[in-house]
Amino acid sequence: MKKALQLAVFVLSISLLTSCGKTTTINSNMELTGKWQLESIVQEEDTIKKPPLQKGAFEVSLNFKEKGELEGTSSTNYLTGFYETAQQNTIQLGGGGTERAETSWGNMFVNALPSVNMYDLKPNKLVLYYDNNSALIFARAQ
């Protein structure tokens, strides 16, 4: 129920953002652009490493494209949306997808995305911060 409510709020907020008639300037960060694969999730003090890829599942990934376009895959679904960066490494992600047949790894990823608000780029590493002490840690896909 909680996941469904979070997804509904996320989709509603995207609908509101895209239907406002107000033009949003997308700040594209060239270092951020490209495909990133989720390697681990930090929730408070616990680090959860990427599990072995299950048969029929996708690599959990985000692809930051130019002009603020965002594509991705959860463990079993495709995601589309947008991103916008601003000063002091703030980031806003928006978009949607389904949660059909997600693995627990995919669920953690999908549930964290609406709360992401900061990012940090390191050599071939991207950290997306959410909920104060939590983070999604990605490696640049080759």
Side-chain angles (χ1 to χ4, degrees), residues 13-69:
S13 66
I14 298 313
S15 297
L16 289 173
L17 284 172
T18 58
S19 66
C20 286
K22 178 175 146 184
T23 304
T24 303
T25 303
I26 302 296
N27 297 320
S28 182
N29 184 330
M30 294 308 289
E31 293 176 350
L32 184 60
T33 58
K35 188 171 181 179
W36 299 89
Q37 291 182 333
L38 185 61
E39 294 290 315
S40 60
I41 299 173
V42 177
Q43 293 180 334
E44 295 178 16
E45 299 297 319
D46 296 326
T47 299
I48 303 154
K49 299 282 186 189
K50 176 173 72 172
L53 194 60
Q54 295 179 5
K55 183 178 180 182
F58 305 133
E59 286 283 350
V60 175
S61 67
L62 288 175
N63 187 6
F64 293 88
K65 301 177 101 180
E66 292 184 27
K67 299 182 183 175
E69 295 174 5

Side-chain angles (χ1 to χ4, degrees), residues 36-39 62 109 124-126 128 136-139:
W36 299 89
Q37 291 182 333
L38 185 61
E39 294 290 315
L62 288 175
F109 169 69
N124 294 316
K125 291 286 181 192
L126 168 64
L128 297 178
L136 301 170
I137 302 172
F138 293 82

Side-chain angles (χ1 to χ4, degrees), residues 5 7-8 32 40 43 47 50 52 58 77 79 84 92 95 99-100 109 119 122 124 132 138 141:
L5 180 59
L7 183 61
L32 184 60
S40 60
Q43 293 180 334
T47 299
K50 176 173 72 172
F58 305 133
N77 295 287
L79 310 169
E84 183 176 1
Q92 178 183 3
E99 290 186 42
R100 187 175 186 155
F109 169 69
Y119 73 97
K122 299 174 182 187
N124 294 316
N132 297 326
F138 293 82

Side-chain angles (χ1 to χ4, degrees), residues 3-15:
K3 289 186 271 183
L5 180 59
Q6 287 175 335
L7 183 61
V9 169
F10 182 63
V11 170
L12 180 60
S13 66
I14 298 313
S15 297

